[in-house]
Amino acid sequence: QVQLVESGGGLVQAGGSLRLSCAASGRTFSTITMAWFRHVPGKEREFVAGINWRFTDLPDSVKGRFTLSRDNAKNTVYLQMNSLKPEDTGVYFCAARESTTAVIPAQTFYDNWGQGTQVTVSS
């Protein structure tokens, strides 16, 4: 059982940057897989980034602009988002599951979710 709390969302102009944080509690941080998804009303949640104890995974839509990092001492994962585009707008959710061999980019894989943080990118 993992409790997740997201923070760092806000409004930014295109080309700007934001850093999202996901703080986890209730389980040893290094043994869980954590991921970010974003949601736009009327659409399915989209995988943004994921990390476990060995690997990171980012889709082509954000690769080169977003960077995922982890601070085990603080039980926190950070998503650094640079060169933001209007299409990056959405509610960003942190998700977690007990660690496995690979990061799975499907929302059904994860059994713990945060409540989301809004990211709005204006043009």
Side-chain angles (χ1 to χ4, degrees):
Q1 186 67 41
V2 180
Q3 184 179 40
L4 305 173
V5 179
E6 306 101 329
S7 62
L11 192 154
V12 65
Q13 291 185 322
S17 299
L18 288 171
R19 189 180 73 161
L20 305 184
S21 299
C22 178
S25 62
R27 185 169 294 177
T28 303
F29 182 77
S30 62
T31 65
I32 62 174
T33 297
M34 300 182 68
W36 287 96
F37 291 79
R38 64 189 177 195
H39 179 250
V40 177
K43 297 183 178 181
E44 297 293 326
R45 291 182 182 181
E46 177 188 14
F47 177 77
V48 177
I51 188 169
N52 65 8
W53 68 281
R54 289 195 297 168
F55 304 108
T56 60
D57 185 32
L58 293 90
D60 290 340
S61 60
V62 304
K63 194 172 298 181
R65 299 188 298 120
F66 292 9
T67 303
L68 200 61
S69 62
R70 179 173 60 193
D71 187 336
N72 288 337
K74 297 181 179 180
N75 289 339
T76 301
V77 164
Y78 303 96
L79 182 65
Q80 179 67 45
M81 306 187 296
N82 299 324
S83 301
L84 283 163
K85 304 175 181 179
E87 53 261 43
D88 295 318
T89 294
V91 179
Y92 282 66
F93 294 89
C94 184
R97 179 176 168 170
E98 184 177 351
S99 186
T100 59
T101 303
V103 175
I104 306 300
Q107 60 178 318
T108 55
F109 175 76
Y110 300 92
D111 53 10
N112 293 275
W113 291 84
Q115 293 185 318
T117 184
Q118 176 70 43
V119 172
T120 302
V121 184
S122 65
S123 60

